Amino acid sequence: MKLNQLSMAVFIGFSLAACGNLAESDSQDKDSAIVNSKVGFNAQITRTKYGVAHIKANDLRGLGFGNAYAQAQDNICLMADNYIRVRGERAKYFGPDKKVEGDGVSVIEDFGYRVLGLHEKAKSSWSKLSHDSQALIEGFVSGYNLYLDYVNAGKFQLPEMCAEKEWVKPIEKYDVLAYLFGVAVFPGAGAMLEDFHSAQPNAELNSKIKHSGAYYAGLEKVASVSTALGSNGWAIGKDLSQHGGGMVLANPHFPYTGELRFWQSHAKVADQIDVMGASLIGFPGVINIGFNQNLAWTHTYSEAEHMVLYRMTTVDGDKMHYEVDGEAKPITVKPITIEVKTDDGTIKYERNAYFTEVGPVLVNEDLPWTDDSFFVVKDVNDTNLDLLDHWLALNRADSIEEAEAAFKQYNGVVFNNTLLSDANGQALYIDDSTVPNLSDMAIELLKNNEELSAIRKEYGVTVLPGHISDLIFSNAVPYESAPQLKTTSFVQNSNNSHWATNPNTLLENFSPLYGTEREPLSLRTRMGLKLIDEMTSDGDKLTLAEIEQAMTTDRALLPEIALSSINSMCGHLNGPVQLNDAISVDLKEACQLMASWDGRYTPDSKASLIMREFAFILEKDTMFATAFDPAQPAITPSNLKTDENVLRAFGYTVFNLQNVGFELGKELREVQFVERTNPDGNGSGNKISWPGALEAEGGFNLVSVWSWDNTYFKNHHHNYLLDTLSEEYFDSGLTDQGYHIRYGSSFMMAVELNKSGPVARGLLTYSQSTQKESQHYADQTQFYAEKNTLLPLYFTDTEIKANQISTVSISK
């Protein structure tokens, strides 16, 4: 394939990659102590049931060392791919394409990562890291490389998906730090790799760019990553806790494939750290979501924005100069060379990247580079050095007060809300994700300029003029100005903004970049609030079992507020419903199914398929008879209308399903499943029925067919079905096999904190390993599919010893 024929399309994978783990090594010196060395790296790794890793070390270097070694046992291929990805070297090893011949995505993404300069920034920033962060990373590098040493020595074999691949190679400390930088910017500048590649000032390229004349007409791609992630989180205080201590529900909704997978572990460092939970694969040592003796916390993806697009004004039509405060400034040109593997050997692909003092230049069909203007992106998380220190401080914190001190000192949770509770029964919510600190002038412009306000409302992206320096942010919003609420009642978040964290104490008048206020909540958020209210309305207090049951519920809000209206419409039917002049549909069978349905998404539900597709057709803004009331956000809008438009939407749903060959009465277990992809890129054929409901129907235990997967590995998918009338794919992602779930509840955790210590249950739905050869490739997956419940999390030495399956001491 010729490089000048590269496609400009960014690939976002929608399928499930193979998951797995290397076979656990035989125990060595099963009860041996950790070797004490001030020079080397030492750790002890004990595995309990389902492959959960408990890592003991004498210091942070040892923790990072053991953590990397254990992660590599489970996920070496995924980790190795991540490192060459952030280096911008995929094309060097895989060739120009990513998943489809001729797509050119590897070259495009490599170029984008070189524009971000993650590896260069890691090198220049290393000396600025804290000693703790350096120790964790240095240990991590050594543990990862030790595992590869054992592979090279023949002690272990690499799994099929990356066996004998030259890109599985030793790493250096800058690779790990570059990976962390990549995590920090992935929902912002990291989502715009193709647009950096497209940023060329030549007329030939720009003549191919289609736009309506309005500069900001279509920014769906820019916001696509933000809308793809979600989570549920509760922190319960002593007022609502049966035992008087705090409680936490942790339910991140993340992809089942790719670089955003979680991995379970337990970290213990002498008398400094004793913390358990889960972290993103590749995160060195610290726990992202978890608990210690006296504190538990979780995160949800924040509605806040972390970047700003600036429209720069050129100087007298000169595309290579721009103006700030009346001063002309030159665009910096940086040649970038990408090595590309071809059948004839490695060739070099050269292309210029363009930079301003504000940020790199980007181009897409709605953000063109013209004689008058061009666009740049400024990401507040660029070179964020606080990630490890911030989570390490949470891991060490002993109370809500100590956690607050961590937020005051660091700003490293990058794109998350945080919900915490402690053994004293305090609960805290804070959106201390890293948010651009806009000037008063910029905020007033966003509020009062109709065009800019409309862009933010529709796309969740802020665009500002870049020719005035007072509009260009220089730092992040400080801790004191972040939305936060401390209480002994409850805080919750299901990816709406901070506003109705607790509807009894609304949080208002924050920077608009933190998200919307006084606007309707999602059905999922309202479902969570309804669950809390039902369990506590009579003065009852919550138990750990109830927290777990809420997390794994088969309830969804839409059927609970719409089913009676549907049944009412059905009761007044006198015959088929006319959809248009040529088509009518008999709703008798569908109405019978609805009348006998309890509204729950149980495996044997026979009406959930109809309700799901109905949810995607309904116009959510106009379907309710009772309008939204900001004074009652948890219960409004409500009462589904029973007019002709709603009835026609219901009829259209039924007609559509029948015409693509789906029986209306199919049970949910027959149409909703997970299925892994084999190393060769084909489906495994093992379809496992899967619990959960979709966002459109207000499912609290969220699942989805869509996903974010930026790995190189191929993933299969079934044939997406076309809507009969529109001839476009079903918005629900319905395939000829049903709903192939690739995203949703991932690491699930319920924790109760008492004076005597934590009691915790949890589960990693897709299991510990991405490698098919591992015994922990699908063990938790099968358990969850069959039981829809959690497992005990073994935290004490006694529990760990009673449930261990292997122990090994490693040193270097």
Side-chain angles (χ1 to χ4, degrees), residues 511-798:
S511 166
L513 268 62
Y514 277 106
T516 57
E517 297 175 1
R518 303 182 70 80
E519 292 193 7
L521 305 178
S522 71
L523 295 177
R524 175 161 55 91
T525 294
R526 289 173 56 190
M527 186 72 253
L529 289 168
K530 185 177 182 181
L531 289 168
I532 294 173
D533 181 67
E534 289 176 352
M535 292 187 289
T536 60
S537 60
D538 294 331
D540 294 335
K541 296 192 175 184
L542 292 167
T543 66
L544 186 64
E546 288 174 323
I547 292 285
E548 179 177 339
Q549 290 165 7
M551 192 182 328
T552 58
T553 185
D554 53 23
R555 293 174 63 181
L557 188 65
L558 184 59
E560 296 189 9
I561 62 177
L563 196 52
S564 61
S565 295
I566 294 172
N567 290 334
S568 175
M569 287 190 299
C570 284
H572 290 87
L573 289 177
N574 296 316
V577 171
Q578 201 73 29
L579 300 184
N580 55 39
D581 292 341
I583 300 175
S584 64
V585 58
D586 186 346
L587 299 181
K588 182 178 180 180
E589 181 184 0
C591 285
Q592 289 174 343
L593 288 168
M594 286 293 182
S596 61
W597 185 37
D598 63 2
R600 291 178 177 257
Y601 284 74
T602 56
D604 58 357
S605 164
K606 294 185 177 181
S608 53
L609 176 64
I610 303 173
M611 178 60 80
R612 173 167 297 169
E613 294 304 328
F614 184 46
F616 279 95
I617 292 174
L618 283 170
E619 294 292 336
K620 297 293 194 302
D621 295 337
T622 60
M623 70 181 186
F624 291 114
T626 303
F628 169 66
D629 179 359
Q632 301 184 84
I635 60 174
T636 61
S638 61
N639 300 320
L640 184 69
K641 292 179 180 178
T642 55
D643 59 22
E644 289 186 5
N645 291 330
V646 174
L647 179 60
R648 190 175 294 110
F650 186 66
Y652 179 75
T653 301
V654 173
F655 175 81
N656 221 3
L657 286 170
Q658 290 175 332
N659 275 270
V660 295
F662 269 90
E663 299 174 19
L664 296 181
K666 271 187 174 292
E667 294 185 350
L668 186 63
R669 63 164 55 91
E670 298 179 81
V671 296
Q672 182 166 293
F673 60 90
V674 294
E675 182 186 7
R676 304 290 176 88
T677 302
N678 288 331
D680 62 4
N682 294 315
S684 68
N686 181 27
K687 298 183 180 66
I688 302 174
S689 178
W690 203 245
L694 272 59
E695 184 82 57
E697 59 237 28
F700 191 68
N701 184 9
L702 179 68
V703 293
S704 174
V705 303
W706 309 121
S707 185
W708 169 268
D709 185 349
N710 199 25
T711 63
Y712 180 79
F713 309 110
K714 294 181 179 179
N715 305 299
H716 81 289
H717 66 83
H718 297 286
N719 296 319
Y720 294 107
L721 294 177
L722 294 176
D723 181 296
T724 308
L725 299 182
S726 72
E727 295 186 350
E728 297 178 354
Y729 292 126
F730 278 70
D731 288 339
S732 64
L734 183 64
T735 74
D736 56 1
Q737 301 295 306
Y739 304 98
H740 183 175
I741 303 303
R742 300 178 173 88
Y743 165 95
S745 293
S746 52
F747 176 62
M748 309 173 78
M749 181 184 75
V751 182
E752 181 177 70
L753 298 161
N754 301 309
K755 297 298 183 183
S756 57
V759 179
R761 290 172 60 79
L763 183 135
L764 190 61
T765 61
Y766 38 65
S767 305
Q768 280 283 78
S769 178
T770 50
Q771 295 157 186
K772 190 176 182 181
E773 295 84 347
S774 170
Q775 61 181 311
H776 306 303
Y777 172 66
D779 49 357
Q780 291 190 70
T781 305
Q782 198 65 50
F783 176 89
Y784 178 62
E786 294 173 359
K787 305 294 186 181
N788 193 21
T789 189
L790 308 185
L791 293 159
L793 297 180
Y794 305 122
F795 186 66
T796 67
D797 288 343
T798 301

